[in-house]
Amino acid sequence: MGWIQALTIIASLIVFISIVANLLNKRMDDMNKRIDDVNRRLDKIEEDVREIRQLFYKFFEISKKEGK
């Protein structure tokens, strides 16, 4: 095998590895975006639950006062 063939094989491997790394990087970016979206949704749900809990507290306080 001549040095040209060896260089061709090395260059082909480098190109292949670069393509695979690029695809994996894009996949990781997509996954990070999805995780960020899920985190935003969970934060919104937590905020809504806090608000509902506060409304329940106010409701039950009013009910206790009226019952006395």
Side-chain angles (χ1 to χ4, degrees):
M1 179 177 357
W3 61 273
I4 293 177
Q5 289 175 330
L7 287 176
T8 302
I9 291 171
I10 292 170
S12 299
L13 287 174
I14 290 172
V15 168
F16 177 75
I17 291 170
S18 298
I19 290 170
V20 170
N22 189 24
L23 291 174
L24 288 175
N25 191 25
K26 286 181 182 180
R27 177 73 176 168
M28 292 300 293
D29 288 343
D30 289 343
M31 289 176 63
N32 286 338
K33 288 178 185 176
R34 289 179 184 171
I35 290 171
D36 290 341
D37 185 47
V38 168
N39 285 338
R40 271 187 256 114
R41 289 180 182 180
L42 286 174
D43 289 341
K44 178 64 176 153
I45 290 171
E46 287 175 355
E47 183 180 314
D48 290 345
V49 167
R50 281 190 206 106
E51 185 177 339
I52 291 169
R53 185 175 58 199
Q54 291 299 322
L55 290 172
F56 274 128
Y57 286 151
K58 288 179 183 178
F59 174 76
F60 286 119
E61 285 178 10
I62 291 171
S63 297
K64 285 183 183 180
K65 290 179 182 176
E66 289 177 0
K68 288 185 178 180

